[in-house]
Amino acid sequence: MATWAADVGGTSIKLAVIDNDTILVRDEIPAEAEKGLNLALERMAETWMELTAKCSLTRDDCTAVGMAFPGVIDPVTERIWTTPAGKFDDSKDMDVQEWGKTRIGCAITVCNDANAAIAGEWRYGAARGCSNACMMTLGTGVGTGVIVEGRPLRGGHGLAGNAGGHLTINWDGVECLCGNIGCVESEGSSWAVKRQAHEHPLFSSSRLSKEPLIDYEAIFRLAREEDTLAKDLLERSLRAWAIGAVNMVNCYDPEVLILGGGVMRSADIIVPYIQEYIRKRAWAQWEVPVVPAKLGNDAGMLGIAYLAANRQGE
Ligand SMILES: [Zn+2]
């Protein structure tokens, strides 16, 4: 038995046919998010059919379908409460369950993408064997997901555990994309660090101002070369992430804290910094291991496939 899985992003959609922890075959298609979710689902269904044929299976071999989506998903109805600004605007009015039953003959399990990623790491990756785990995905934004007492935390509307990057850590901070003030994300993310660089008094005379792109790749590289501004900006992001990590530990009491995202190419700097900060600042009298994610970009697809295949009822 196999599962159809999709990890929907703002620019592309990853698709796969999955058997437990094995991705049998995969593809990636443009999201074309401005055209809406309805059209995206049509293209996803076509791609799944092609992939199924490619691994010599039939439609009937694929008994579950799951979609990880970048928004708040109602835990009961699986309706989509929020979408990224200007993307998949029709999804709040859509009934994805009904669409699935009518168009592909199968209910689609819909789950927030951060929850899907931690579900993947929990079943097959860095939190395997744990009943309580937190994950922070650092970089473009700061995404979080939580497993508590052996299941993904959802809450009343699906927001629980996903807002770890949007807890205030600086009440004098700038407004975040989420509408809150001084979030972990508005203090430490690709978009925040770019703004901080331009506002810094050293910027015009710094090596960073000569870079074609001010991103974490440039900041980590120049910080390793002892550039003062890059070191300053990096320290600020690391501190934001570390304070966010302490918040996660204090809120959810994980057995392990997983860190993911593109910046983890510099795990040698990030992991020890956050580990030490948790030791010093968290209200935990025990060691909470900080570990890099193991499944990379596949975590979301493997996680949503697990959740879909183990869906209760129906
Ligand atoms: Zn925020």
Side-chain angles (χ1 to χ4, degrees):
M1 289 302 160
T3 302
W4 284 355
D7 191 351
V8 177
T11 51
S12 70
I13 301 171
K14 293 196 276 287
L15 296 137
V17 178
I18 293 178
D19 179 9
N20 287 312
D21 61 345
T22 307
I23 295 176
L24 301 174
V25 57
R26 67 167 80 214
D27 200 0
E28 192 158 347
I29 61 174
E32 298 180 2
E34 69 290 348
K35 293 184 187 167
L37 184 62
N38 195 35
L39 276 176
L41 278 166
E42 300 280 355
R43 291 186 295 118
M44 286 156 65
E46 269 170 41
T47 310
W48 275 324
M49 284 305 294
E50 289 165 18
L51 290 174
T52 304
K54 250 187 206 170
C55 55
S56 307
L57 294 174
T58 67
R59 170 70 191 88
D60 291 343
D61 294 320
C62 303
T63 50
V65 183
M67 175 177 83
F69 188 84
V72 175
I73 315 296
D74 192 285
V76 178
T77 63
E78 295 181 54
R79 288 273 187 154
I80 295 168
W81 281 104
T82 69
T83 60
K87 295 185 171 177
F88 304 113
D89 280 341
D90 59 337
S91 52
K92 280 182 259 183
D93 304 318
M94 270 191 78
D95 186 337
V96 177
Q97 292 313 320
E98 205 42 51
W99 189 96
K101 286 175 192 163
T102 318
R103 301 303 300 266
I104 55 175
C106 185
I108 300 175
T109 299
V110 187
C111 174
N112 167 271
D113 53 355
N115 282 355
I118 192 167
E121 292 288 345
W122 166 53
R123 299 317 294 174
Y124 310 119
R128 205 173 172 164
C130 294
S131 298
N132 301 278
C134 292
M135 181 165 173
M136 299 176 76
T137 304
L138 309 170
T140 324
V142 176
T144 63
V146 175
I147 301 285
V148 168
E149 296 168 4
R151 60 193 177 84
L153 193 66
R154 307 290 292 273
H157 304 83
L159 179 61
N162 294 147
H166 300 279
L167 301 178
T168 294
I169 61 170
N170 176 10
W171 72 19
D172 290 322
V174 297
E175 188 170 330
C176 181
L177 301 177
C178 74
N180 194 12
I181 304 283
C183 297
V184 178
E185 178 169 317
S186 57
E187 294 292 323
S189 63
S190 305
W191 63 267
V193 83
K194 196 171 167 187
R195 181 184 51 75
Q196 290 159 5
H198 283 286
E199 287 173 359
H200 202 287
L202 292 177
F203 182 68
S204 54
S205 60
S206 74
R207 287 171 65 197
L208 206 54
S209 66
K210 316 277 185 306
E211 290 287 326
L213 198 62
I214 296 165
D215 59 4
Y216 280 118
E217 186 281 317
I219 286 168
F220 274 96
R221 174 166 40 81
L222 292 175
R224 285 180 197 276
E225 292 166 13
E226 296 292 323
D227 178 78
T228 311
L229 175 61
K231 279 171 73 178
D232 223 42
L233 293 170
L234 180 56
E235 169 65 24
R236 185 163 171 183
S237 287
L238 286 169
R239 195 182 296 184
W241 299 335
I243 294 170
V246 166
N247 288 344
M248 297 301 284
V249 169
N250 285 347
C251 285
Y252 304 114
D253 189 7
E255 294 157 60
V256 62
L257 176 78
I258 304 166
L259 300 178
V263 298
M264 288 301 285
R265 277 185 288 270
S266 290
D268 62 313
I269 293 174
I270 299 169
V271 171
Y273 188 102
I274 292 179
Q275 182 74 73
E276 198 44 51
Y277 200 87
I278 288 175
R279 274 189 200 131
K280 203 169 164 186
R281 301 289 178 195
W283 197 12
Q285 304 306 304
W286 46 88
E287 178 83 350
V288 182
V290 176
V291 299
K294 276 191 180 164
L295 305 177
N297 292 331
D298 293 341
M301 280 201 300
L302 288 165
I304 191 63
Y306 169 82
L307 295 172
N310 291 277
R311 187 188 178 89
Q312 302 296 316
E314 299 185 53

